[in-house]
Every structure is written in structure tokens, then in C-alpha cells.
Amino acid sequence: MPGFTDMAYIPLWEACLRVLLSAGAALAIGFERQYKNKPLDLRPYTLVAVGSCLAVLTVMEIAFTEHDSQLSIDPAKVIGGVLGGIGFLGAGALFRSSGEVHGGATAASIWVMGAVGVAFGLGAYPLAVLATVLALGTLLMGSFMSNRAGAEVDDDEQDADTGSTGSS
């Protein structure tokens, strides 16, 4: 008779490691978003990644342990449902102000964290880590580039208002 901590898909320690790694990856992205006072802080990122990872681990465990011919489990459908649901969550982070759409990076990053949670849940550690590094790098570099472009535009507008040549 299987014990409480027995798992068929992977050992319990590895399942716990996957959940912890997904949380750690999401904390890195969430901290960056919180530091910049974006609409979502680190909590939703962590919860989305952990929830996605747990959903994958659970469906894989059921698929490996259930031998009922009447039960049909397709992990790909569950993963698709999880990522689709996270898309709705990300859509809630989008808003329009003065004809511009804001929150795109937050919406996209919450979805990426869901995919990272799925990747960790499936044991695709290198892909999950790579995606986290790329997401964090994109958010950091995107802010840097936007700030640089914004500063130049502001300087040009200020120069036009004051009549100066803008050569500073």
C-alpha cells in the first residue's frame, strides 16, 4: 500500500524542488516589478508560478497512477488551460490612459512566469532558468532603454519650449 509521501511520477523531494525553484524564479521577476512600483507585486508572480508547477505535477501524477481505461488525462490540455487562464489574469493588468496602453510588460511577465512554472513542473530546468534570465534581462534592459529614450524626448520637448538648441 502506497504511503502518504509516495509519488509515481517523480520522487517527492524532486516535486518539492520543482515547486521551490518555480517560486524562486518568480520571486526574482516579482521583485523587479515591485521595485519599479508596477501594478502587480511579487505575490501574484510567485503564486502563478507555484500554481502552474503544482498543476503540472498533479496532472502528471494522476496520469502515471490512474490505470482506469475510462479516465483520459491529457497533460497538454491541462497545461493549455493553465496558460490560457493566466492570460486572463495578465489581461487584467492592461489599462488604457490618454490613448496609450500600459501594463504590457506586467501582463507578459505574469504569463511568462506561468510558463516557467509549467517548465519547472515538467522538469525542464535549463529551459525554465533560461526563460527566467531572459525575462528578467528584458524587463531590466527594457526599462533602461525606455528611460533613455524618454529622457531624450523630454529634453527635446523642453528645448523646443525654451527655444534653446538642445546641444547639451
Side-chain angles (χ1 to χ4, degrees):
M1 180 171 174
F4 177 71
T5 59
D6 292 341
M7 294 182 68
Y9 174 55
I10 58 171
L12 181 61
W13 69 265
E14 188 172 356
C16 292
L17 175 67
R18 292 178 185 190
V19 171
L20 290 171
L21 288 172
S22 67
L27 283 169
I29 300 297
F31 180 76
E32 186 275 342
R33 300 276 81 197
Q34 184 169 334
Y35 180 76
K36 293 180 179 173
N37 295 319
K38 298 302 178 181
L40 298 177
D41 61 14
L42 60 89
R43 293 171 299 174
Y45 288 92
T46 305
L47 294 172
V48 162
V50 167
S52 300
C53 183
L54 184 60
V56 169
L57 289 169
T58 303
V59 75
M60 294 303 287
E61 182 66 19
I62 292 169
F64 269 77
T65 58
E66 288 298 322
H67 302 293
D68 186 355
S69 61
Q70 299 295 320
L71 182 64
S72 174
I73 304 246
D74 184 357
K77 288 181 181 177
V78 173
I79 292 168
V82 166
L83 294 177
I86 295 167
F88 281 102
L89 178 64
L94 295 171
F95 63 94
R96 183 177 289 228
S97 174
S98 302
E100 294 180 6
V101 176
H102 299 276
T106 298
S109 60
I110 196 78
W111 189 87
V112 168
M113 283 300 97
V116 165
V118 166
F120 274 121
L122 291 171
Y125 302 115
L127 291 176
V129 170
L130 176 63
T132 302
V133 169
L134 289 174
L136 187 58
T138 299
L139 292 169
L140 292 172
M141 287 303 296
S143 295
F144 174 75
M145 297 304 282
S146 295
N147 289 341
R148 296 246 347 183
E152 290 177 24
V153 170
D154 289 342
D155 288 346
D156 290 343
E157 289 174 1
Q158 185 178 14
D159 290 342
D161 291 340
T162 61
S164 65
T165 61
S167 56
S168 50

